[in-house]
């Protein structure tokens, strides 16, 4: 594995962040696990919306395609995961190691932001974190949207894991690009600035991500939080109909739909009209 180029990563991060609305702010929130970077936009007195990115090389900047739209009705608070690529600064002596640690990190993050309760949204691994948090602290979560969540309602496809393995074992920009090209059906259709950031994140000195079981079925069956589940029709991560079927059995207050023409890793930076419409309806904004 080649040496990680921090300058290239920071430059790529800034280029994607520049796609955010002009009123964006960079916040630094202390937590017991380190300082969390939050990219924020929207009116300070609007209802808060916490956005959690996926794993791998994803960062808070990946929400740029939705940020301006969501900021019309919400204070958007997109986080960089502690110990993952981004600008959060992990503590030297304490790292999240369990699902309970992730919940404690989000508790401290909301406290540091002065937020009592918020809407939440998550993609992929970030959706797994957010759904676990809904079970942990339903009193702090008003509504939750999940974009093609992984390990929540169905397992990974074997083919997905096989294609991801080279990138996971020895991450290089070329392997990241090859994997994304396979999953999305052609990396040429992806935003080149976002793709460059994904490649630049290869080899980032990240901590081992927290993994664990799916949220307990019994806990999901009594979850009173309204949930919008949007599954990518072209996802190669899992079988979409297995995700929708299992979620429909477990979540009592869920709206479930499939977004056509998009793959797992094309989210959230891809912004098909169907995605914007469904988020607007769910979060309470009248679509234009």
């Amino acid at each position: 594995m080649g040496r990680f180029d921090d300058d290239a990563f920071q430059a790529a991060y800034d280029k994607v962040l520049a796609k955010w609305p002009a009123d964006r702010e960079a916040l630094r929130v202390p937590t017991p696990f380190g300082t969390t970077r939050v990219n924020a936009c929207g009116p300070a007195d609007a209802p808060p919306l916490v956005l959690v990115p996926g794993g791998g090389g994803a960062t808070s900047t990946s929400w740029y395609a939705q940020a301006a739209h969501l900021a019309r009705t919400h204070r958007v608070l997109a986080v960089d995961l502690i110990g993952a690529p981004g600008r959060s600064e992990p503590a030297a002596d304490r790292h999240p190691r369990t699902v309970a640690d992730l919940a404690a990190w989000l508790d401290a993050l909301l406290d540091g932001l002065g937020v009592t309760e918020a809407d939440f949204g998550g993609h992929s691994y970030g959706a797994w974190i957010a759904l676990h948090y809904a079970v942990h602290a339903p009193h702090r979560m008003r509504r939750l949207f999940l974009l093609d969540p992984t390990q929540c309602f169905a397992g990974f496809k074997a083919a997905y894991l096989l294609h991801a393995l080279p990138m996971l074992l020895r991450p290089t920009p070329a392997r990241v690009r090859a994997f994304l090209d396979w999953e999305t059906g052609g990396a040429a259709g992806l935003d080149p600035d976002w793709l460059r950031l994904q490649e630049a994140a290869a080899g980032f000195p990240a901590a081992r991500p927290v993994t664990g079981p799916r949220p307990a079925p019994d806990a999901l069956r009594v979850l009173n939080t309204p949930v919008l589940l949007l599954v990518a029709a072209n996802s190669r991560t899992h079988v979409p109909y297995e995700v929708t079927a299992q979620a429909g059995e477990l979540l009592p207050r869920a709206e479930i739909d499939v977004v056509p023409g998009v793959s797992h890793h094309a989210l959230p930076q891809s912004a098909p009209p169907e995605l914007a419409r469904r988020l607007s309806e769910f979060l309470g904004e009248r679509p234009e």
Side-chain angles (χ1 to χ4, degrees):
M1 179 168 54
R3 180 176 177 273
F4 173 69
D5 188 338
D6 185 63
D7 289 341
F9 175 81
Q10 299 300 337
Y13 186 105
D14 282 335
K15 195 157 190 179
V16 178
L17 184 60
K19 300 174 186 288
W20 275 59
D23 71 340
R24 65 184 179 274
E25 299 179 60
L27 308 178
R28 299 176 74 252
V29 184
T31 77
F33 300 96
T35 300
T36 300
R37 166 65 175 253
V38 180
N39 286 313
C41 64
D45 60 350
L49 170 61
V50 178
L51 300 177
V52 189
T59 70
S60 60
T61 66
S62 296
W63 296 97
Y64 67 86
Q66 287 80 37
H69 180 81
L70 296 172
R72 290 188 292 184
T73 54
H74 286 75
R75 174 65 167 171
V76 174
L77 302 163
V79 304
D80 282 342
L81 298 174
I82 287 281
R87 290 180 175 166
S88 288
E89 302 166 11
D93 58 347
R94 188 176 181 189
H95 305 282
R97 301 181 188 277
T98 64
V99 171
D101 287 343
L102 290 174
W105 165 64
L106 285 173
D107 277 336
L109 178 67
L110 293 183
D111 291 343
L113 290 166
V115 171
T116 302
E117 63 174 6
D119 293 325
F120 272 74
H123 169 240
S124 187
Y125 175 63
W128 178 81
I129 294 173
L131 187 58
H132 271 291
Y133 190 66
V135 171
H136 164 79
H139 60 288
R140 305 199 75 168
M141 187 175 292
R142 297 176 64 237
R143 291 169 294 196
L144 169 64
F145 71 80
L146 307 172
L147 300 186
D148 214 44
T150 51
Q151 295 296 88
C152 292
F153 308 106
F156 290 110
K157 280 184 174 180
Y160 179 85
L161 295 176
L162 286 173
H163 277 86
L165 192 59
M167 177 186 66
L168 296 174
L169 292 177
R170 186 172 177 268
T172 66
R175 289 185 175 195
V176 169
R177 177 179 283 266
F179 173 71
L180 292 174
D181 183 70
W182 169 79
E183 200 283 324
T184 62
L190 298 174
D191 182 324
D193 296 328
W194 174 85
L195 184 58
R196 193 169 297 112
L197 177 57
Q198 296 296 114
E199 294 172 350
F204 188 95
R208 183 176 179 177
V210 175
T211 58
R214 301 177 197 174
D218 288 346
L220 294 181
R221 289 190 180 99
V222 297
L223 185 65
N224 198 42
T225 304
V227 177
L228 172 65
L229 170 62
L230 298 177
V231 179
N234 298 344
S235 178
R236 293 188 172 186
T237 305
H238 41 223
V239 179
Y241 76 81
E242 290 183 357
V243 176
T244 58
Q246 183 70 0
E249 291 182 6
L250 294 176
L251 295 172
R253 299 189 63 189
E255 301 175 36
I256 302 171
D257 207 348
V258 176
V259 181
V262 67
S263 73
H264 178 81
H265 287 282
L267 294 172
Q269 78 282 350
S270 177
E274 174 71 7
L275 177 58
R277 181 181 69 82
R278 292 308 305 270
L279 292 181
S280 292
E281 292 174 348
F282 180 69
L283 293 173
E285 177 188 350
R286 181 186 295 274
E288 295 181 349

